[in-house]
Amino acid sequence: MRSSVFLLCVVGLSLTQIQFSSADLVDQTCKQTPNYDLCVKTLRADPRSSKADVTGLALVMVDTIKAKATATLDRINGLLGTTPDPKTKAALSHFVELYDNAVLKADIPSAIEALKKGNPKFAEQGINDAANEADSCDRAFGGASPITSFNRNVSDLSRVASAIIRLLS
Amino acid sequence: MALIGKSGPSVSQKTDLTLNAPAESTNISAQFLEPVSRGPSAGVSEKSFRLHSGVRAPFPWSNTMLSWQRTGYHFQPEKNWMNDPNGPMFYGGWYHFFYQYNPDAAVWGNIVWGHAVSKDLIEWLHLPLAMVADHWYDTNGVWTGSATLLSDGQVIMLYTGATNESVQVQNLAYPADLSDPLLVDWVKYPGNPVLVPPPGIDDRDFRDPTTAWYGPDGKWRIAIGSKVNKTGISLVYDTEDFKKYELIEGVLHAVPGTGMWECVDLFPVSLKEDNGLDTSFNGPGVKHVLKASLDDDKNDYYAIGTYSLESGNWTPDNPNLDVGIGLRYDYGKFYASKTFYDQNKQRRILWGWIGETDGESADIKKGWASVQSIPRTVVFDKKTGTNILQWPVEEIKSLRKSCKKFDKLEVGPGSVVTLELEKATQMDITAEFEIDKEALKRIGESDMEYSCSTSGGSAQRGELGPFGLLLLADEGRCEQTPVYFYVAKGTDGQLKTFFCTDESRSSLANDVDKRIFGSTVPVIKGEKLSMRILVDHSIIESFAQGGRTCITSRVYPTKAIYGAAHLYLFNNATSANITASIQTWAMKSAYIRPYSSHAF
C-alpha cells in the first residue's frame, strides 16, 4: 500500500518533469534554428508539440509547411485565372507544377515518411528542395507580388524545419 | 573568392581562350525597375501583377534536356528512386546486385530491395523485387545489407529493417531456391530480427551489417556502424549460425567527432599481389581497409590499417588519416559504397551510389533519380603505400568503339584545342600530361595553399595550371565541365598536384548544384600526370594517377547535349607549356533491360 503510494508520487513527479522538459524542448530546439520566433510561434500553435520529441517537432513543422504550400498553390491557381500576360501565366503555371507535383506530392510525403521511419537525412533533402522551390518562385516575382508572403512563409518554415531535422542526425 | 582569369595570347590554329570568370550568379535580386504596385496597399486586389522584368524566369527544363540526362551505360533502374547498393555478390555464374529502391516515386520512400543480374558487371537484366516491407520488423524500411557466401554453398543476407516502431534491427534472409542461379525469390528467417540495438546504442543508430569474415574459434564476425554522442564507431558481433549473436566487448574502431558511421566496410588488401582477397583473408602481406559513410557530411572515407583477429581491433597505419578525417574514396558525389569479393575473377569490387545534384522537381519531371558508379576494382597502391587505387572494371572496355589518338599535342599557356566534335556524351578518355621542365624550374613559391573547392576553378590561373579537358562543352563554351590538374608549390616548397572537377559552368540552369571539388593526388617521381574519364550524359567519373584520386560529378547541361556536346583540351596556365597525349573512345550503350525468358 505504502509502496504504491510512493510509486504514484514518483510517477506523478516524472510526468510533470516530462511536460516541463517538452516546453523547454521547443525552446531548446528553436534556438538552433535560423528563425527562433517563427519556430516557437509555429510549434506552440500545435497541441502536439507539448508532448513531442525532436522528431515530433520536425513533423509538426513539416505539417505546417504542407498547409502553407497548399495555401500558396491555391493562391497561384487563383492568380492564373485572372492574369492576362502570357509570360506571367507561363511562369505561374510552372510554379503550380512545382508546388503541386514537387512540394506537395513528393517532397512533403517523402520527408514525413523519412521522419517517421527514422531516416532523417532523406527528410532534409525534401525540405531543402521545398525551400528552393519557394525561393525560386519568390525571386521570379520580385519583392512585391500577391504571392510574396506565401512563398517567403514556405521558405522560412522550410529553413526552420531543415535545421530541426539536422539535429536528428 | 573567384579570381578573374585574364585571356591569354591566341595561338594560331587554336581557338582563343575564353575561360574567364565563372558565369554570373543567376540569383538575381529584386533590384529592378518595376514600380511597386499600388493595388494591394490601397486595399484593392492586385491589378498589375506581372513577372518581374529583367528577371530570368525559373529554368524551363524541356523533355529533350531531361531525357538526355539518362545514362547510356551506368546501372540504373528503368524509373524512380534508387539509393544504396546492397548485397553485391557473384553466385551461380551471375553477378548479383541489389539496391534501395522506391517503386512508386522519384524521391526517397517506400524503400524495398531492387535486384538485377549480369554476366559482366556492365550489361544488366532487371529482376523482380527481392524483398519488400512485409513484416513488422521491416515494415518501415527494408534497408541496407550485405551478402556472405558460405563454403557449403549457402547464401546469407543480413539487412537492416526499420520496425513498426522505427527501431533499427538486423534481419536474416536467404534465397528460397539455391538451385536458381538468378536467386529470384527470397525467404526471411522466421526468427527475425536476429539483432536489436544493444544497451547504450540508440534505436536509430544501428544499421548496415557487413559481409561476415571468418573469426577465431570457427565463428563468423560482422560489423555494424553506430555512434556514441559524436563519436562514430563500429560494433562487432560473433555468430556461428547467423541467427544467434554475441556482442564483442569494445568496438572494432572509433573516431571522435565523425558522427554516425553508415555502411561500414572492412576488407583485406594484398600488399604484394594485384588480385583481390576474400573477406576472411588475413595474415602477413595483408592490410585491412576500414571504411565508413559519414552521415554528417555525406562522404565516404577510408583508412588503411591492421586488423587483429585476436584483439578484435583495427588500427590505422596513420592516425592523422583515420576513418572520417583522412582520405575519401571519391571527392565528388559518391556515397553508401560497398565492396564485395568477386571470386570469379579474384577481384575486390566497389559499388557507389551516385545521387542527383539537380532539384527534386526535375527528378520528378524526368521520372527517375540516381545511378550507380561503374564498378571499380580496388587494390592497394604499392607505390605510395598510403592509398588504394580504384579503376573501372576491365569489362567496360567492351563498350569502346571508334578510337581516336592524339599524340604529344603541344598546348601553350592560355589555349584550347578541339578534340571531339561528335558523340562526346558517351566517352572513355585517357590522357597523359607533361609540364615543360623549364616552367617547373621557374615556378616561384606560393604563399597560399591551393584547394580545389575554394579556388576559382578552371578560370583561376597559376603558373603550372590548370590544364586538362573540357567535357560536355558547347561550341561557344557557355557550358563546360573542366576536369584538370593544378600544380603548385606549397608553403613547404614542395610541388603539389591537385586534381579537380569544376561544375561552376556545367549548366546555364540556376537550379542545379555547381560545385568545384577535388583533392591533392600523390605523384611519384617519374610518373606522368594521367587521368581517365568516363563521360556518360549527366555523370562524369574521373580518375587520376591510375585511380589514386577519384572524382564523380553530376552535371545537367542545357545546351551541351546530344550532338552539341564537344570535347576540348585546355591549358589555362600562365607560364607552362603542356604536352598531352590523349586517347578517346566513343562508348556504346550497355544493354540494361528487364529480364525476360526470351532474352537469350
Side-chain angles (χ1 to χ4, degrees), chain B residues 298-329:
Chain B
K298 312 290 188 291
N299 291 313
D300 283 3
Y301 291 83
Y302 78 92
I304 302 175
T306 308
Y307 173 61
S308 157
L309 264 178
E310 293 74 50
S311 71
N313 297 128
W314 174 91
T315 343
D317 283 352
N318 181 350
N320 293 323
L321 294 178
D322 208 341
V323 177
I325 61 172
L327 299 173
R328 282 166 52 178
Y329 273 158

Side-chain angles (χ1 to χ4, degrees), chain A residues 1 3 11 37 51 56-57 60 69 73 75 78 85 98 103 107 122 125 127 133 139 144 161 165-166 168:
Chain A
M1 192 45 192
S3 49
V11 168
D37 291 335
K51 295 197 197 85
L57 295 179
V60 168
L73 180 61
R75 192 76 174 91
D85 171 48
L98 275 184
V103 177
D107 292 340
F122 293 111
Q125 258 187 263
I127 295 304
E133 309 302 7
R139 274 199 305 276
I165 292 166
R166 286 233 92 204
L168 293 168

Side-chain angles (χ1 to χ4, degrees), chain B residues 150-301:
Chain B
L150 306 188
S151 50
D152 62 4
Q154 281 188 75
V155 176
I156 300 292
M157 194 70 84
L158 287 172
Y159 71 97
T160 299
T163 68
N164 53 350
E165 291 176 350
S166 293
V167 176
Q168 291 170 9
V169 298
Q170 317 311 324
N171 300 312
L172 167 64
Y174 38 83
D177 178 6
L178 284 169
S179 68
D180 167 21
L182 297 180
L183 300 180
V184 172
D185 296 306
W186 289 76
V187 168
K188 295 177 185 175
Y189 169 54
N192 278 334
V194 295
L195 271 177
V196 299
I201 296 295
D202 195 279
D203 287 350
R204 296 187 178 191
D205 295 336
F206 184 64
R207 56 187 181 269
D208 311 332
T210 63
T211 295
W213 61 92
Y214 219 54
D217 311 324
K219 296 187 191 160
W220 289 93
R221 244 173 220 188
I222 61 162
I224 299 179
S226 183
K227 71 173 164 94
V228 175
N229 297 322
K230 282 247 109 196
T231 298
I233 66 172
S234 172
L235 302 166
V236 193
Y237 288 84
D238 266 348
T239 181
E240 289 184 61
D241 57 3
F242 294 94
K243 294 169 182 168
K244 289 196 183 50
Y245 295 77
E246 201 186 299
L247 177 62
I248 295 180
E249 216 185 297
V251 291
L252 175 67
H253 194 56
V255 181
T258 53
M260 177 68 189
W261 283 12
E262 302 191 289
C263 304
V264 166
D265 198 4
L266 177 72
F267 58 89
V269 287
S270 170
L271 299 179
K272 301 240 164 57
E273 311 299 330
D274 291 331
N275 50 282
L277 299 173
D278 181 277
T279 310
S280 295
F281 205 92
N282 209 338
V286 165
K287 279 203 190 279
H288 275 74
V289 173
L290 177 60
K291 168 258 167 188
S293 292
L294 294 197
D295 200 11
D296 286 355
D297 70 8
K298 312 290 188 291
N299 291 313
D300 283 3
Y301 291 83

Side-chain angles (χ1 to χ4, degrees), chain B residues 75 77 82 84 86 97-101 112-115 126 372:
Chain B
F75 180 84
M82 165 172 67
D84 304 6
N86 296 154
F97 182 69
F98 304 86
Y99 54 97
Q100 298 281 280
Y101 180 61
V112 297
W113 273 38
H115 184 192
H126 294 304
Q372 298 289 332

Side-chain angles (χ1 to χ4, degrees), chain B residues 349-565:
Chain B
I349 296 189
L350 172 71
W351 283 95
W353 165 41
I354 318 296
E356 300 296 308
T357 60
D358 64 355
E360 277 198 349
S361 54
D363 298 344
I364 291 156
K365 202 165 173 195
K366 73 196 189 195
W368 61 272
S370 301
V371 302
Q372 298 289 332
S373 61
I374 293 296
R376 303 173 182 179
T377 52
V378 175
V379 295
F380 178 72
D381 183 1
K382 290 180 265 195
K383 291 188 191 163
T384 62
T386 53
N387 295 64
I388 50 148
L389 298 172
Q390 299 162 60
W391 201 246
V393 290
E394 281 296 295
E395 290 91 327
I396 190 99
K397 292 180 177 171
S398 65
L399 298 177
R400 286 175 169 177
K401 56 175 182 168
S402 50
C403 176
K404 272 198 190 167
K405 263 190 181 172
F406 305 87
D407 224 14
K408 297 205 179 359
L409 289 175
E410 301 253 328
V411 193
S415 46
V416 176
V417 177
T418 306
L419 291 181
E420 181 60 71
L421 282 175
E422 289 176 13
K423 300 188 197 76
T425 42
Q426 284 180 212
M427 307 204 76
D428 186 354
I429 307 168
T430 58
E432 258 181 14
F433 301 89
E434 273 181 280
I435 305 175
D436 80 82
K437 297 196 171 41
E438 287 308 309
L440 280 171
K441 284 192 208 142
R442 261 197 319 263
I443 181 179
E445 226 163 80
S446 163
D447 57 347
M448 196 175 63
E449 284 290 323
Y450 181 89
S451 139
C452 299
S453 51
T454 56
S455 73
S458 58
Q460 180 177 331
R461 310 188 69 186
E463 289 178 63
L464 302 180
F467 57 88
L469 297 169
L470 298 180
L471 308 159
L472 299 175
D474 65 310
E475 205 168 310
R477 293 197 300 280
C478 302
E479 290 182 336
Q480 49 172 282
T481 305
V483 173
Y484 61 90
F485 286 112
Y486 186 96
V487 182
K489 213 172 223 184
T491 47
D492 60 356
Q494 296 298 313
L495 277 181
K496 252 187 181 169
T497 306
F498 296 84
F499 182 56
C500 320
T501 296
D502 177 0
E503 295 176 347
S504 63
R505 278 167 298 168
S506 57
S507 173
L508 295 175
N510 52 2
D511 55 358
V512 301
D513 281 2
K514 292 187 219 176
R515 300 191 295 160
I516 303 169
F517 35 43
S519 169
T520 51
V521 55
V523 178
I524 305 294
K525 195 174 164 110
E527 276 182 355
K528 290 202 184 113
L529 294 180
S530 68
M531 55 168 81
R532 179 168 178 197
I533 305 178
L534 295 175
V535 181
D536 188 5
H537 299 259
S538 60
I539 183 172
I540 298 173
E541 289 189 67
S542 309
F543 305 82
Q545 302 313 100
R548 219 171 261 157
T549 294
C550 310
I551 309 173
T552 301
S553 173
R554 298 301 310 276
V555 291
Y556 308 92
T558 64
K559 295 173 84 173
I561 60 179
Y562 298 109

